[in-house]
Amino acid sequence: MPTTLITPMADRKRLARRLAGTGRGFAEQYGFRVTNNPASLFQVLYLAVLLARRGDFRRALDGARALRDEGWDSAAGLARSLHEDRVRVLRASGQRGDVDALAAVLGDLGRTVVERYRGDLRRLRALAHHDPARERELLAELPGVDGQVVDLFLREAQALWREVAPVADRRALAAARRLGLGRSADDLAGLASGESEQLAWLVGALARVDLEHRYAEVTGRS
């Protein structure tokens, strides 16, 4: 029988398919739905704000879940919340550092999204005319949103906002380099056959590998 030659590229694509095989990105793996509706997009945004802070990423997830479970699952809901209540909920969820400042930023974020976009980040996208550079600029104008937060948000949103792809955050790129999958978002897009949804799943999985230190599990090495 003829021997099938397994090339390094074939190996990389096989690993990429396995990593993306769950059919969910980073946020969805931890219980945050990524759908093109105002509440879902806003939850992904404040999750990104929390993930960008230093510390255990699990605390960021706990904080985002606590905000959502308190009923602040939309920009309008968070905008209506009281500062002292946000402080209480964030502290109870295990947030560290200047929680008072974080609570203030999150309140400002909710109010600004309501005032500028009627609580709907899809209006931001429309205002940018689906231009990725302009979308990044408008996102970075929001309270608490810097370049890192933009990357974390678009890492998830690229499954829906296809024009922004390819996006890979620093954690995903660190895992990609260590696993030999590439060094850039463009490299990962090639492994995902240029499909933004597949890319979002792959990038999310890579970020999880790095954050959870799952390299040995992925490579099968002890």
Side-chain angles (χ1 to χ4, degrees):
M1 295 179 62
T3 301
T4 301
L5 178 63
I6 304 299
T7 66
M9 176 56 76
D11 290 340
R12 290 198 294 271
K13 286 189 174 181
R14 189 177 299 111
L15 177 56
R17 284 196 300 271
R18 181 155 61 87
L19 287 167
T22 59
R24 293 186 292 180
F26 182 93
E28 290 198 329
Q29 286 285 355
Y30 294 107
F32 290 87
R33 296 187 64 199
V34 182
T35 58
N36 201 27
N37 70 64
S40 173
L41 290 170
F42 187 70
Q43 288 169 42
V44 172
L45 182 60
Y46 67 55
L47 173 61
V49 170
L50 290 166
L51 285 169
R53 303 181 80 224
R54 293 187 177 185
D56 189 338
F57 78 99
R58 294 175 184 83
R59 286 185 187 147
L61 291 164
D62 288 343
R65 291 189 190 106
L67 295 173
R68 181 185 61 191
D69 294 346
E70 194 70 18
W72 306 329
D73 56 355
S74 66
L78 194 59
R80 288 193 299 267
S81 65
L82 298 177
H83 176 79
E84 55 267 30
D85 288 336
R86 293 193 300 276
V87 171
R88 171 182 54 79
V89 168
L90 289 167
R91 282 190 175 143
S93 73
Q95 300 308 297
R96 299 291 186 266
D98 193 342
V99 177
D100 191 79
L102 175 61
V105 164
L106 289 170
D108 289 343
L109 178 63
R111 286 187 292 272
T112 302
V113 172
V114 169
E115 291 166 2
R116 294 184 187 175
Y117 305 113
R118 302 183 197 173
D120 188 348
L121 290 170
R122 295 175 304 180
R123 292 180 180 274
L124 178 152
R125 186 188 185 200
L127 182 63
H129 301 291
H130 294 202
D131 174 52
R134 184 59 178 152
E135 287 168 351
R136 282 181 170 275
E137 289 174 1
L138 292 175
L139 284 166
E141 290 174 2
L142 296 172
V145 178
D146 58 14
Q148 184 181 358
V149 174
V150 170
D151 280 344
L152 291 170
F153 173 75
L154 293 180
R155 176 185 70 191
E156 310 297 320
Q158 68 185 325
L160 307 166
W161 298 8
R162 298 175 185 270
E163 69 276 5
V164 303
V167 178
D169 66 297
R170 64 182 182 85
R171 289 284 189 178
L173 290 175
R177 287 191 295 269
R178 187 164 171 180
L179 294 171
L181 293 178
R183 304 184 66 83
S184 69
D186 286 328
D187 291 338
L188 296 177
L191 295 176
S193 301
E195 296 182 12
S196 62
E197 188 174 51
Q198 289 282 340
L199 177 60
W201 298 343
L202 172 59
V203 171
L206 286 168
R208 289 183 64 219
V209 168
D210 191 66
L211 284 164
E212 297 177 358
H213 309 291
R214 292 173 50 234
Y215 289 100
E217 174 188 333
V218 170
T219 60
R221 298 172 185 171
S222 59

